[in-house]
Amino acid sequence: MSEEPVGGDLSRLRQLNASAVLRELRGDQPLTLTELSKRTGLSRASTEDVARDLLGRGWLAEVAPALGSVGRPARRYRFNAGAGRLLGVDIGGHKALALVTDLDGEVLNQTRITVDPEAGRRERLAVLDRCVAKALAGAGVEASQIWSTGVATTGLVDASGKVMLSDSLPEWSGVDLTAHVRRLVPGPVRVENDCKLAALAETWRGVARYAKDVVFLLAGLRTGAGLIIDGKLHRGFANWSGEIGALPAAGWLRAPEHLTNWLETTARPTGAGPTSSPTSGGFERVFLAARGGDASAVQAVHLYVQDLAVGASALVLTLDPQLVVIGGGFSRSADVMVEPLRRELDRWCLRTPEIRVSAFADEGVALGAVRLALDEVEATIRTGLRP
Amino acid sequence: MSEEPVGGDLSRLRQLNASAVLRELRGDQPLTLTELSKRTGLSRASTEDVARDLLGRGWLAEVAPALGSVGRPARRYRFNAGAGRLLGVDIGGHKALALVTDLDGEVLNQTRITVDPEAGRRERLAVLDRCVAKALAGAGVEASQIWSTGVATTGLVDASGKVMLSDSLPEWSGVDLTAHVRRLVPGPVRVENDCKLAALAETWRGVARYAKDVVFLLAGLRTGAGLIIDGKLHRGFANWSGEIGALPAAGWLRAPEHLTNWLETTARPTGAGPTSSPTSGGFERVFLAARGGDASAVQAVHLYVQDLAVGASALVLTLDPQLVVIGGGFSRSADVMVEPLRRELDRWCLRTPEIRVSAFADEGVALGAVRLALDEVEATIRTGLRP
């Protein structure tokens, strides 16, 4: 939440009329002035005024007239997604990932920098800074062109964008990410938990686009959840929804141990990293062995899925969602996970929802952060001027 | 969901203008024609036309002019809650309860008839019929005056109002309550699960009026939940939300056994019913003993609350609600339950929400059914004519 206006020119848009016109043009179809006038209820003259103004500011673009028109073809206008830029950043345990996009969320640059999981706060924030700088440079964009920024982080985030509690990242509890990122870019900065933003990305650009009620499961080193209810990200009273994993009876605290135990009791292949701090990628080995029919690996994955399914069933029984989406590092091994998971859900749930696997690689969370940034721009378009 | 219009005259209201006027008058304040014209955006002449029409139909009433007006005081109008009647019915394991109300939900008659828990479908439906007839007679209302009806039942209810599954009532799975109740009253009939309607009643007239995200716990012979999310009843994709109790790990399947066991191992007081099928009232004895300091009763209640709290914590961690409301038969003994429950929630949850006890006796569920009936009337007012 920020007091700064979105976009340099916005504070001078003195009419809600402009908002009404922009709102209509956020759809895919370019519209003529006649169509715009009809849809907004504004007079033809007002519509022309507004369109001229918005063209001058770069928010609108003119497109070629429709073919086959009789007489002089009418000019058509579309929203100019190139008028500004958005930034989405994911700062996690093993990486920083930054996306620079246009106002439609089309990605202009994606930059990824690895972070040591043991890195302290200062070091991790420095990687975040480098990642943002590199992404901006890669997109050929000045920081001043960024209208709005979304930031994703692990841990519990409060409404002001401060990390209240992070179990997995050293020195991360208490970091004020909003304040930090505001030093890098102008415009509003919003910070949110990574599972929530991954869920948001799935309903926006992912496999959950058609669904109104969605449970997103982050299956990886950590297990987490993000909830879409009635088409909207559900945050909860203190922004701490989706944290069922904290309940021991839900099985998630224990779930990854079955995989860790397997990794520790089998020989490490040449060149593999230390098993003491495996990445999601390190876990690939147990899924690979299970896929190959190794009995002990099959059993380890089975026990993992059993524990995952208890918490997942609790979410499904509570919300009765249309869809469960599996994302996170382990979702790359979904072929050995989905059917066992479905069987476990069948066992506990009254109705097993459809299960889909995220189609994103590791950019889903950052894409959700872009969506958060875009929400801010669209709220401005909806409400007209900020106070 | 019904095809029938709400209210006898509604199908003749040909203008959305009427809806706009009614919408404005649903508030508490009576309004003058000038105020109505301003708020609806209708011309003075149109507003007068609509008001005259609605007065004629009985939807509006004129109230005495405001005191202290200068010159000839302007007429003021209010919504006439007496124009029609609503019916709310709760058909449960031990009772049928019917409420007849006006269009503001003010109760004109409340009728309760006991049912044998072992009664079959035909017998239970016959009690429902008698209960409705008696409530209508008690309110001095003809069935034809009922504009809209809500029905609450235990078990899983589908969107058409059919009971899909009921574990607790004999021969109840498959009963088409919508069709049955439509034989008794005109107008739309909507059927919903009792926990969901109890939750709705709490946000409408109960202790949850101020909260947008609420977990309602039904604590009684059965344990159940109803969820209010973002101010609305959350139903889920197949209307099966709130069923976390089906998961053994949630503890609810086992929870009441601690109390049953105590009742079975202690001597029955003179005149008490058989312990094989105790009512919520029968359980009063264990709470009474616990309140009196009986160590084994205190322990039984403690074990009950421990199990209740696991499922409750799963709901709280999932949704992060502002408020948890305890209702159902055991809520009368809330004084010995709330503090232990709070301690258990503190143990498992990241943030323990406020806990409140329902202020309803056993009419909460039926009141939720009235709210469901009222939703139908208000939807009609909002959208104007039905197709």
Side-chain angles (χ1 to χ4, degrees), chain B residues 99-181:
Chain B
L99 299 177
V100 176
T101 77
D102 69 13
L103 297 180
D104 277 339
E106 288 308 313
V107 176
L108 307 174
N109 181 275
Q110 169 168 343
T111 296
R112 189 185 195 287
I113 299 183
T114 304
V115 194
D116 179 357
E118 306 301 326
R121 181 190 296 197
R122 181 189 290 256
E123 193 180 338
R124 197 174 303 274
L125 288 175
V127 172
L128 185 158
D129 294 356
R130 284 210 310 281
C131 190
V132 168
K134 207 174 153 194
L136 290 172
V141 163
E142 302 287 327
S144 62
Q145 291 172 267
I146 298 295
W147 278 16
S148 178
T149 300
V151 182
T153 176
T154 62
L156 294 168
V157 177
D158 73 5
S160 80
K162 195 180 270 187
V163 178
M164 300 303 286
L165 184 71
S166 168
D167 288 338
S168 49
L169 304 191
E171 303 173 357
W172 204 242
S173 296
V175 65
D176 186 343
L177 273 174
T178 308
H180 182 85
V181 175

